[in-house]
Amino acid sequence: MIQLIPVPALRDNYIWLIRLDDTRAEGPAPAIIVDPGEAAPVLAALTAHGLRPIAILLTHHHPDHVGGVPELLRRFQVPAYGPAGLRLGPGYRPVHEGDVLSPGGLDLRVLAIPGHTLDHLAYHHDGGLLFCGDTLFTGGCGRVFEGSARQMLTALRRLAALPDATRIHCGHEYTLANLDFALQVEPENHRLAARLEETRRLRARQIATASATLEEEKATNPFLRCHLPAVRRAAERFCDRTLNTELDVFATIRRWKDMQ
Ligand code: ZN
Ligand code: FE
């Protein structure tokens, strides 16, 4: 059994801990750390949950995702995997599209998904887990900082093509703001309205909502729905012109969200 633990960090980041069962040993269970933007909350969570780190995975170079790596590598003799171009010391191992990692026996395939940043990676386990950093968010997507809208849309379509039951795990608690915006785009989407209500309830109890199935995302996330007439029409109303391609629709609603 794999257990996913979201560790809140910085302002609204999550560092994901993947707890792996270790049937062989007594004592702390092995865990993989995803995107440690700072070290202190990771150290506290490892202690609280009785975990020992075996690897670190990084999705992209932004400090809120890698800031804790140097201290963690000083404390633990574990490999850190992530994009080429990062300088994080001798324990750091750049990985690339198509690589398969197997920390603790958990097979993870590396997907290169530029858009938010040019170096952005996702990690996919075909038992239904995806770690997608700041590319696909619950109810939204990341800002396009370094890549083009075309790259970002390509990245999102690639993730959306994974099996519906895949659970995404993203880097920030943005769901509420994302779904608020999504409902502006699709006020008639009842499933979306219900998801927003449910998210409000969960957030009132400070429960993390940065994980969901791709099926739910495809039903409610406007950035995965740019091919649909309702989303196109909303984008056309926003920019007051005809939009002929899914890419134009995507770029328009991304710009619209950026203005919120
Ligand atoms: Zn980022
Ligand atoms: Fe981030």
Side-chain angles (χ1 to χ4, degrees), residues 131-203:
F131 299 89
C132 46
D134 289 357
T135 297
L136 175 59
F137 284 129
T138 40
C141 76
R143 283 181 189 251
V144 183
F145 282 124
E146 296 179 2
S148 64
R150 183 185 296 279
Q151 282 176 311
M152 192 64 163
L153 179 60
T154 301
L156 293 172
R157 289 171 71 166
R158 196 167 170 211
L159 299 182
L162 295 170
D164 273 358
T166 306
R167 275 202 87 82
I168 70 164
H169 300 81
C170 44
H172 291 265
E173 181 61 62
Y174 288 161
T175 323
L176 212 46
N178 285 339
L179 295 178
D180 262 323
F181 172 73
L183 205 59
Q184 294 178 50
V185 178
E186 284 193 278
E188 309 284 307
N189 183 334
H190 298 295
R191 179 128 185 236
L192 170 56
R195 185 181 183 189
L196 175 57
E197 277 315 303
E198 175 64 8
T199 301
R200 285 206 178 104
R201 276 194 289 277
L202 293 169
R203 291 308 298 150

Coordinates of all heavy atoms in Angstrom, one line a residue, residues 131-203:
F131 N 2.6 13.1 -10.4 CA 3.1 14.2 -9.7 C 3.4 15.3 -10.8 O 4.3 15.1 -11.6 CB 4.3 13.9 -8.9 CG 3.9 12.8 -7.8 CD1 4.0 11.5 -8.1 CD2 3.4 13.2 -6.6 CE1 3.6 10.5 -7.2 CE2 3.0 12.3 -5.7 CZ 3.0 10.9 -6.0
C132 N 2.6 16.3 -10.8 CA 2.7 17.2 -12.0 C 3.1 18.7 -11.6 O 2.9 19.6 -12.4 CB 1.4 17.2 -12.8 SG -0.1 17.3 -11.7
G133 N 3.5 18.9 -10.3 CA 4.1 20.2 -10.0 C 3.2 21.3 -10.2 O 2.1 21.4 -9.7
D134 N 3.7 22.3 -11.0 CA 2.9 23.5 -11.3 C 2.4 23.5 -12.8 O 2.1 24.6 -13.4 CB 3.7 24.8 -11.1 CG 4.0 25.0 -9.6 OD1 3.5 24.3 -8.8 OD2 4.7 26.0 -9.3
T135 N 2.2 22.3 -13.4 CA 1.6 22.3 -14.7 C 0.1 22.1 -14.7 O -0.6 23.0 -15.1 CB 2.3 21.2 -15.5 OG1 3.7 21.5 -15.7 CG2 1.7 21.1 -16.9
L136 N -0.3 21.0 -14.2 CA -1.8 20.8 -14.1 C -2.1 20.9 -12.6 O -1.5 20.3 -11.7 CB -2.1 19.4 -14.5 CG -3.6 18.9 -14.3 CD1 -4.6 19.8 -15.0 CD2 -3.8 17.5 -14.8
F137 N -3.0 21.9 -12.3 CA -3.5 22.0 -10.9 C -4.9 21.5 -10.8 O -5.6 21.4 -11.8 CB -3.5 23.5 -10.5 CG -2.2 24.1 -10.2 CD1 -1.8 25.3 -10.8 CD2 -1.3 23.5 -9.3 CE1 -0.6 25.9 -10.6 CE2 -0.1 24.1 -9.0 CZ 0.3 25.3 -9.7
T138 N -5.3 21.1 -9.6 CA -6.7 20.8 -9.3 C -7.5 22.0 -9.7 O -7.4 23.0 -9.1 CB -6.9 20.4 -7.9 OG1 -6.1 21.2 -7.0 CG2 -6.4 18.9 -7.7
G139 N -8.3 21.8 -10.7 CA -9.2 22.9 -11.2 C -8.6 24.0 -12.1 O -9.3 24.9 -12.5
G140 N -7.3 23.8 -12.3 CA -6.6 24.9 -13.1 C -5.3 24.4 -13.7 O -5.1 23.2 -13.8
C141 N -4.5 25.4 -14.1 CA -3.1 25.0 -14.6 C -2.2 26.1 -14.2 O -2.6 27.2 -13.8 CB -3.1 24.8 -16.1 SG -3.1 26.3 -17.1
G142 N -0.9 25.9 -14.3 CA 0.1 26.8 -13.9 C 0.2 28.0 -14.9 O -0.3 27.9 -16.0
R143 N 0.7 29.1 -14.4 CA 1.0 30.2 -15.3 C 2.1 29.8 -16.3 O 2.9 29.0 -16.0 CB 1.5 31.4 -14.6 CG 0.4 32.2 -13.9 CD 1.0 33.4 -13.1 NE 0.0 34.0 -12.3 CZ -0.6 35.2 -12.6 NH1 -0.2 35.9 -13.6 NH2 -1.5 35.7 -11.7
V144 N 2.0 30.4 -17.5 CA 3.0 30.1 -18.5 C 4.1 31.1 -18.4 O 4.0 32.2 -18.9 CB 2.4 30.1 -19.9 CG1 3.4 29.7 -21.0 CG2 1.1 29.2 -20.0
F145 N 5.2 30.7 -17.6 CA 6.2 31.7 -17.4 C 7.3 31.6 -18.4 O 7.8 32.6 -18.9 CB 6.9 31.4 -16.0 CG 6.1 31.8 -14.8 CD1 5.7 31.0 -13.8 CD2 5.7 33.2 -14.7 CE1 5.0 31.4 -12.7 CE2 5.0 33.6 -13.6 CZ 4.6 32.8 -12.6
E146 N 7.8 30.4 -18.8 CA 9.0 30.3 -19.6 C 8.6 29.8 -21.0 O 9.2 30.1 -22.0 CB 10.0 29.4 -19.0 CG 10.6 30.0 -17.7 CD 11.6 29.0 -17.1 OE1 11.9 27.9 -17.7 OE2 12.1 29.3 -16.0
G147 N 7.6 28.9 -21.1 CA 7.3 28.3 -22.4 C 6.2 29.1 -23.1 O 5.9 30.3 -22.7
S148 N 5.7 28.5 -24.1 CA 4.6 29.1 -24.9 C 3.2 28.5 -24.5 O 3.2 27.4 -23.9 CB 4.8 28.9 -26.4 OG 4.8 27.5 -26.7
A149 N 2.2 29.2 -24.9 CA 0.8 28.6 -24.7 C 0.7 27.3 -25.4 O 0.1 26.4 -24.9 CB -0.2 29.6 -25.1
R150 N 1.3 27.2 -26.5 CA 1.3 25.9 -27.3 C 1.9 24.8 -26.5 O 1.4 23.7 -26.4 CB 1.9 26.1 -28.7 CG 1.8 24.9 -29.5 CD 2.6 25.0 -30.9 NE 2.0 26.1 -31.7 CZ 1.0 25.9 -32.5 NH1 0.4 24.7 -32.6 NH2 0.5 26.9 -33.2
Q151 N 3.1 25.1 -25.9 CA 3.8 24.1 -25.1 C 2.9 23.7 -23.9 O 2.8 22.5 -23.6 CB 5.1 24.6 -24.6 CG 6.2 24.6 -25.7 CD 7.5 25.2 -25.2 OE1 7.5 26.3 -24.6 NE2 8.6 24.5 -25.4
M152 N 2.3 24.7 -23.3 CA 1.5 24.3 -22.1 C 0.3 23.5 -22.5 O 0.0 22.5 -21.8 CB 1.1 25.6 -21.4 CG 0.5 25.4 -20.0 SD 1.7 24.8 -18.9 CE 1.0 25.1 -17.3
L153 N -0.4 23.9 -23.5 CA -1.5 23.1 -24.0 C -1.1 21.7 -24.3 O -1.8 20.7 -24.0 CB -2.2 23.8 -25.1 CG -3.5 23.0 -25.7 CD1 -4.5 22.9 -24.6 CD2 -4.0 23.8 -26.9
T154 N 0.0 21.5 -25.0 CA 0.5 20.2 -25.3 C 0.8 19.4 -24.1 O 0.5 18.2 -24.0 CB 1.8 20.3 -26.2 OG1 1.5 21.1 -27.4 CG2 2.4 19.0 -26.6
A155 N 1.4 20.0 -23.1 CA 1.7 19.4 -21.8 C 0.4 18.9 -21.2 O 0.3 17.7 -20.7 CB 2.5 20.3 -20.9
L156 N -0.6 19.8 -21.1 CA -1.8 19.4 -20.4 C -2.6 18.3 -21.2 O -3.1 17.4 -20.6 CB -2.7 20.7 -20.4 CG -2.2 21.8 -19.4 CD1 -3.1 23.0 -19.6 CD2 -2.2 21.3 -18.0
R157 N -2.5 18.3 -22.5 CA -3.2 17.3 -23.3 C -2.5 15.9 -23.1 O -3.1 14.9 -23.0 CB -3.2 17.6 -24.8 CG -4.2 18.8 -25.0 CD -4.1 19.3 -26.4 NE -4.6 18.4 -27.4 CZ -4.9 18.7 -28.7 NH1 -4.6 19.9 -29.1 NH2 -5.3 17.8 -29.5
R158 N -1.2 16.0 -22.9 CA -0.5 14.8 -22.7 C -0.8 14.2 -21.3 O -1.1 13.0 -21.2 CB 1.0 15.1 -22.7 CG 1.9 13.9 -22.9 CD 3.3 14.2 -23.2 NE 4.0 13.0 -23.1 CZ 5.2 12.9 -22.7 NH1 6.0 13.9 -22.5 NH2 5.8 11.7 -22.6
L159 N -0.9 15.0 -20.3 CA -1.3 14.5 -19.0 C -2.8 14.0 -19.0 O -3.1 13.0 -18.5 CB -1.2 15.6 -17.9 CG 0.3 16.1 -17.8 CD1 0.3 17.2 -16.6 CD2 1.3 15.0 -17.5
A160 N -3.6 14.7 -19.7 CA -5.1 14.4 -19.8 C -5.3 13.0 -20.5 O -6.3 12.4 -20.3 CB -5.9 15.5 -20.5
A161 N -4.3 12.7 -21.3 CA -4.4 11.4 -22.1 C -4.1 10.2 -21.2 O -4.3 9.0 -21.6 CB -3.5 11.4 -23.3
L162 N -3.6 10.4 -20.0 CA -3.3 9.2 -19.1 C -4.7 8.7 -18.7 O -5.7 9.4 -18.8 CB -2.5 9.7 -17.9 CG -1.1 10.2 -18.3 CD1 -0.4 10.9 -17.1 CD2 -0.2 9.0 -18.8
P163 N -4.7 7.5 -18.1 CA -6.0 6.9 -17.7 C -6.8 7.8 -16.8 O -6.2 8.4 -15.9 CB -5.6 5.6 -17.0 CG -4.2 5.2 -17.6 CD -3.6 6.6 -17.9
D164 N -8.1 7.8 -16.9 CA -9.0 8.6 -16.2 C -8.8 8.4 -14.6 O -9.1 9.3 -13.9 CB -10.5 8.2 -16.5 CG -11.0 9.0 -17.7 OD1 -10.2 9.9 -18.2 OD2 -12.1 8.8 -18.1
A165 N -8.5 7.2 -14.2 CA -8.5 6.9 -12.8 C -7.2 7.5 -12.1 O -7.0 7.4 -10.9 CB -8.6 5.4 -12.5
T166 N -6.2 7.9 -13.0 CA -5.0 8.5 -12.5 C -5.2 9.6 -11.5 O -6.0 10.5 -11.8 CB -4.1 9.0 -13.6 OG1 -4.0 8.0 -14.6 CG2 -2.8 9.5 -13.2
R167 N -4.6 9.6 -10.3 CA -4.7 10.7 -9.4 C -3.6 11.6 -9.6 O -2.4 11.3 -9.5 CB -4.7 10.2 -7.9 CG -6.0 9.7 -7.4 CD -6.1 9.7 -5.9 NE -6.5 11.0 -5.4 CZ -7.8 11.4 -5.3 NH1 -8.8 10.7 -5.7 NH2 -8.1 12.7 -4.8
I168 N -3.9 12.9 -9.8 CA -2.9 13.9 -9.9 C -2.6 14.5 -8.5 O -3.4 14.5 -7.6 CB -3.3 15.1 -10.8 CG1 -4.4 15.9 -10.2 CG2 -3.7 14.5 -12.2 CD1 -4.6 17.3 -10.9
H169 N -1.3 14.9 -8.3 CA -0.9 15.5 -7.1 C -0.1 16.7 -7.5 O 1.0 16.6 -8.1 CB 0.0 14.5 -6.3 CG -0.7 13.3 -5.9 ND1 -0.9 12.2 -6.8 CD2 -1.3 12.9 -4.8 CE1 -1.6 11.3 -6.2 NE2 -1.9 11.7 -5.0
C170 N -0.6 17.9 -7.1 CA 0.1 19.1 -7.6 C 0.7 19.9 -6.5 O 0.6 19.6 -5.3 CB -0.9 19.9 -8.5 SG -2.5 20.1 -7.8
G171 N 1.4 21.0 -6.9 CA 2.3 21.7 -6.0 C 1.7 22.8 -5.1 O 2.4 23.3 -4.3
H172 N 0.5 23.2 -5.4 CA -0.1 24.3 -4.6 C -1.5 24.0 -4.2 O -2.3 23.3 -4.9 CB 0.0 25.6 -5.4 CG 1.4 26.1 -5.6 ND1 1.9 27.0 -4.8 CD2 2.3 25.8 -6.5 CE1 3.2 27.3 -5.2 NE2 3.4 26.6 -6.3
E173 N -2.0 24.6 -3.1 CA -3.4 24.6 -2.7 C -4.0 25.8 -3.4 O -4.2 26.9 -2.8 CB -3.5 24.7 -1.2 CG -4.9 24.7 -0.7 CD -5.7 23.4 -1.0 OE1 -5.3 22.3 -0.6 OE2 -6.7 23.5 -1.8
Y174 N -4.4 25.6 -4.7 CA -5.1 26.7 -5.4 C -6.5 26.3 -5.8 O -7.1 27.0 -6.6 CB -4.3 26.9 -6.7 CG -3.0 27.6 -6.6 CD1 -2.0 27.5 -7.7 CD2 -2.6 28.4 -5.5 CE1 -0.8 28.1 -7.6 CE2 -1.4 29.0 -5.4 CZ -0.5 28.9 -6.4 OH 0.8 29.5 -6.4
T175 N -7.0 25.2 -5.3 CA -8.2 24.6 -5.9 C -9.4 25.6 -5.8 O -10.1 25.8 -6.8 CB -8.6 23.3 -5.2 OG1 -7.4 22.6 -4.9 CG2 -9.5 22.5 -6.1
L176 N -9.6 26.3 -4.7 CA -10.7 27.1 -4.5 C -10.7 28.3 -5.5 O -11.7 28.5 -6.2 CB -10.7 27.7 -3.1 CG -12.0 28.0 -2.4 CD1 -13.0 26.8 -2.5 CD2 -11.7 28.2 -0.9
A177 N -9.6 29.0 -5.6 CA -9.5 30.1 -6.6 C -9.7 29.6 -8.0 O -10.3 30.2 -8.9 CB -8.2 30.8 -6.4
N178 N -9.1 28.4 -8.3 CA -9.2 27.8 -9.6 C -10.7 27.5 -10.0 O -11.1 27.8 -11.1 CB -8.4 26.5 -9.7 CG -6.9 26.8 -9.8 OD1 -6.5 27.9 -10.2 ND2 -6.1 25.8 -9.5
L179 N -11.4 26.9 -9.0 CA -12.8 26.5 -9.3 C -13.7 27.8 -9.4 O -14.7 27.8 -10.1 CB -13.3 25.5 -8.3 CG -12.6 24.2 -8.3 CD1 -13.1 23.3 -7.2 CD2 -12.7 23.5 -9.7
D180 N -13.4 28.8 -8.6 CA -14.1 30.0 -8.7 C -14.0 30.6 -10.1 O -15.0 31.0 -10.7 CB -13.5 31.1 -7.7 CG -14.3 31.2 -6.4 OD1 -15.5 31.1 -6.5 OD2 -13.7 31.4 -5.4
F181 N -12.8 30.6 -10.6 CA -12.6 31.0 -12.0 C -13.3 30.1 -13.0 O -14.0 30.6 -13.9 CB -11.1 31.1 -12.3 CG -10.8 31.4 -13.8 CD1 -11.1 32.7 -14.3 CD2 -10.3 30.4 -14.6 CE1 -10.9 32.9 -15.6 CE2 -10.1 30.7 -15.9 CZ -10.4 31.9 -16.5
A182 N -13.1 28.8 -12.8 CA -13.7 27.8 -13.7 C -15.2 28.0 -13.8 O -15.8 27.9 -14.9 CB -13.4 26.4 -13.2
L183 N -15.9 28.4 -12.7 CA -17.3 28.6 -12.8 C -17.7 29.9 -13.5 O -18.8 30.0 -14.1 CB -17.9 28.6 -11.3 CG -19.3 28.2 -11.2 CD1 -19.6 26.8 -11.7 CD2 -19.8 28.3 -9.7
Q184 N -16.8 30.9 -13.6 CA -17.0 32.0 -14.4 C -17.0 31.6 -15.9 O -17.7 32.1 -16.7 CB -15.9 33.1 -14.2 CG -15.9 33.7 -12.8 CD -14.8 34.7 -12.7 OE1 -14.6 35.6 -13.6 NE2 -14.0 34.6 -11.7
V185 N -16.1 30.7 -16.2 CA -16.0 30.2 -17.6 C -17.2 29.3 -17.9 O -17.8 29.5 -19.0 CB -14.7 29.4 -17.8 CG1 -14.6 28.8 -19.2 CG2 -13.5 30.3 -17.5
E186 N -17.6 28.5 -17.0 CA -18.7 27.5 -17.3 C -19.7 27.5 -16.2 O -19.9 26.6 -15.4 CB -18.1 26.1 -17.3 CG -17.4 25.7 -18.6 CD -17.1 24.2 -18.6 OE1 -16.2 23.7 -18.0 OE2 -17.9 23.5 -19.3
P187 N -20.5 28.6 -16.1 CA -21.5 28.7 -15.1 C -22.6 27.6 -15.1 O -23.3 27.3 -14.1 CB -22.2 30.1 -15.3 CG -21.7 30.5 -16.6 CD -20.5 29.8 -17.0
E188 N -22.7 26.9 -16.3 CA -23.7 25.9 -16.4 C -23.2 24.5 -16.0 O -24.0 23.5 -16.2 CB -24.2 25.8 -17.9 CG -24.7 27.2 -18.4 CD -26.0 27.6 -17.9 OE1 -27.0 26.8 -18.0 OE2 -26.1 28.7 -17.4
N189 N -22.0 24.4 -15.7 CA -21.4 23.1 -15.4 C -21.7 22.7 -14.0 O -21.1 23.1 -13.0 CB -19.9 23.1 -15.6 CG -19.2 21.8 -15.5 OD1 -19.7 20.9 -14.7 ND2 -18.1 21.6 -16.1
H190 N -22.7 21.8 -13.9 CA -23.2 21.4 -12.5 C -22.2 20.6 -11.7 O -22.1 20.8 -10.5 CB -24.6 20.7 -12.6 CG -25.6 21.5 -13.3 ND1 -26.1 22.6 -12.7 CD2 -26.2 21.4 -14.5 CE1 -27.0 23.2 -13.6 NE2 -27.1 22.4 -14.6
R191 N -21.5 19.8 -12.4 CA -20.5 19.0 -11.7 C -19.4 20.0 -11.1 O -18.9 19.8 -10.0 CB -19.9 18.0 -12.7 CG -18.8 17.2 -12.1 CD -19.0 15.7 -12.3 NE -18.0 15.0 -11.6 CZ -17.2 14.1 -12.1 NH1 -17.3 13.8 -13.4 NH2 -16.2 13.5 -11.4
L192 N -19.1 21.0 -11.9 CA -18.1 22.0 -11.4 C -18.7 22.7 -10.2 O -18.0 22.9 -9.2 CB -17.8 22.9 -12.6 CG -17.0 24.2 -12.3 CD1 -15.7 23.9 -11.6 CD2 -16.8 25.0 -13.6
A193 N -19.9 23.1 -10.2 CA -20.5 23.9 -9.1 C -20.5 23.0 -7.9 O -20.2 23.5 -6.8 CB -21.9 24.3 -9.4
A194 N -20.8 21.7 -8.0 CA -20.8 20.8 -6.9 C -19.3 20.6 -6.3 O -19.1 20.5 -5.1 CB -21.3 19.4 -7.3
R195 N -18.4 20.6 -7.3 CA -17.0 20.4 -6.8 C -16.5 21.7 -6.0 O -15.8 21.5 -5.0 CB -16.1 20.2 -8.0 CG -14.6 19.9 -7.6 CD -13.7 19.7 -8.8 NE -12.4 19.4 -8.3 CZ -11.3 19.3 -9.1 NH1 -11.4 19.5 -10.4 NH2 -10.1 19.0 -8.6
L196 N -17.0 22.8 -6.5 CA -16.6 24.0 -5.8 C -17.2 24.0 -4.3 O -16.5 24.3 -3.4 CB -17.1 25.3 -6.5 CG -16.9 26.6 -5.9 CD1 -15.5 26.9 -5.5 CD2 -17.5 27.8 -6.8
E197 N -18.5 23.6 -4.2 CA -19.1 23.5 -2.9 C -18.3 22.6 -2.0 O -18.0 22.9 -0.8 CB -20.5 23.1 -3.0 CG -21.5 24.2 -3.3 CD -21.3 25.4 -2.5 OE1 -21.3 25.3 -1.2 OE2 -21.0 26.5 -3.0
E198 N -18.0 21.4 -2.5 CA -17.3 20.4 -1.8 C -15.9 20.9 -1.4 O -15.4 20.7 -0.2 CB -17.2 19.1 -2.6 CG -16.3 18.0 -2.0 CD -16.9 17.4 -0.7 OE1 -18.0 17.8 -0.3 OE2 -16.2 16.6 0.0
T199 N -15.2 21.6 -2.3 CA -13.9 22.2 -2.0 C -14.0 23.2 -0.9 O -13.2 23.3 0.0 CB -13.3 22.8 -3.2 OG1 -13.2 21.7 -4.2 CG2 -11.9 23.3 -3.0
R200 N -15.1 24.0 -0.9 CA -15.3 25.0 0.2 C -15.4 24.3 1.5 O -14.8 24.7 2.5 CB -16.6 25.8 0.0 CG -16.4 26.9 -1.1 CD -17.4 28.0 -0.9 NE -17.2 29.0 -1.9 CZ -18.0 29.2 -3.0 NH1 -19.1 28.4 -3.1 NH2 -17.8 30.1 -3.9
R201 N -16.2 23.2 1.6 CA -16.3 22.5 2.8 C -15.0 21.9 3.3 O -14.6 22.0 4.5 CB -17.3 21.3 2.6 CG -18.8 21.7 2.7 CD -19.7 20.4 2.9 NE -19.7 19.7 1.6 CZ -20.6 20.0 0.6 NH1 -21.4 21.0 0.8 NH2 -20.6 19.3 -0.5
L202 N -14.2 21.3 2.4 CA -12.9 20.8 2.8 C -11.9 21.8 3.2 O -11.2 21.7 4.2 CB -12.3 20.0 1.6 CG -13.1 18.7 1.2 CD1 -12.6 18.2 -0.2 CD2 -13.0 17.6 2.2
R203 N -11.9 22.9 2.5 CA -10.9 24.0 2.9 C -11.3 24.7 4.2 O -10.4 25.1 5.0 CB -10.8 25.0 1.8 CG -10.1 24.5 0.5 CD -8.8 23.9 0.8 NE -7.8 24.8 1.4 CZ -6.9 24.4 2.2 NH1 -6.7 23.2 2.6 NH2 -6.1 25.3 2.7

